[in-house]
């Protein structure tokens, strides 16, 4: 669904965000967050939560970096913050099973931590 949304947005067939005076809604961000929830839930029910955490982290990580100042807007900041919050929640509530899993997750998020 997220891939289809991105293709339709790039083809100017749908609006990527909806704004009103009271709230802002970015469909791409919402679909990305829902995809990460689905990954976690699916792998958790199959007793493979380690795989789910790694996949959800890899999905969100490219979008967790702050927007560049030249392209920054209130919408971008909100999306970036929501994605970063979701990533932090995933990592905060997860307890790796062994040292190898811990090292792998640390290796994944180190560039994000260094950049902040």
């Amino acid at each position: 669904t997220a891939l289809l949304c991105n293709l339709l947005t790039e083809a100017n067939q749908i609006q990527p965000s909806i704004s009103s005076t009271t709230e802002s809604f970015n469909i791409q961000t919402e679909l990305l967050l829902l995809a990460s929830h689905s990954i976690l839930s699916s792998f958790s029910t199959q007793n493979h939560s380690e795989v789910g955490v790694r996949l959800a982290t890899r999905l969100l990580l490219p979008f967790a970096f702050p927007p560049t100042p030249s392209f920054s807007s209130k919408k971008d900041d909100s999306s970036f913050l929501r994605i970063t919050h979701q990533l932090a929640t995933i990592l905060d509530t997860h307890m790796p099973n062994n040292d190898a899993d811990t090292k792998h997750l640390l290796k994944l998020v180190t560039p994000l931590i260094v950049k902040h």
Side-chain angles (χ1 to χ4, degrees):
T1 306
L3 176 61
L4 181 60
C5 175
N6 285 340
L7 292 173
L8 290 171
T9 301
E10 287 178 14
N12 291 324
Q13 297 300 310
I14 63 171
Q15 297 273 340
S17 62
I18 301 168
S19 297
S20 69
T21 57
T22 58
E23 62 184 60
S24 178
F25 179 83
N26 185 312
I27 192 167
Q28 292 171 311
T29 301
E30 296 302 319
L31 290 174
L32 188 64
L33 294 172
L34 288 171
S36 73
H37 282 292
S38 296
I39 290 169
L40 292 169
S41 176
S42 176
F43 281 97
S44 179
T45 59
Q46 299 173 19
N47 293 324
H48 296 291
S49 61
E50 284 292 326
V51 176
V53 168
R54 282 194 305 254
L55 289 175
T57 300
R58 291 181 65 101
L59 174 70
L60 295 175
L61 205 53
F63 304 96
F65 289 94
T68 58
S70 60
F71 295 108
S72 183
S73 70
K74 194 170 185 86
K75 174 190 66 102
D76 292 335
D77 290 344
S78 172
S79 294
F80 149 72
L81 291 173
R82 293 190 64 218
I83 291 168
T84 303
H85 179 263
Q86 173 70 8
L87 185 59
T89 301
I90 290 170
L91 296 173
D92 182 48
T93 59
H94 176 66
M95 179 181 278
N97 292 329
N98 54 49
D99 288 344
D101 291 331
T102 303
K103 287 180 184 178
H104 181 73
L105 285 173
L106 283 172
K107 186 177 177 182
L108 281 175
V109 300
T110 297
L112 178 63
I113 295 168
V114 169
K115 187 154 183 142
H116 284 296

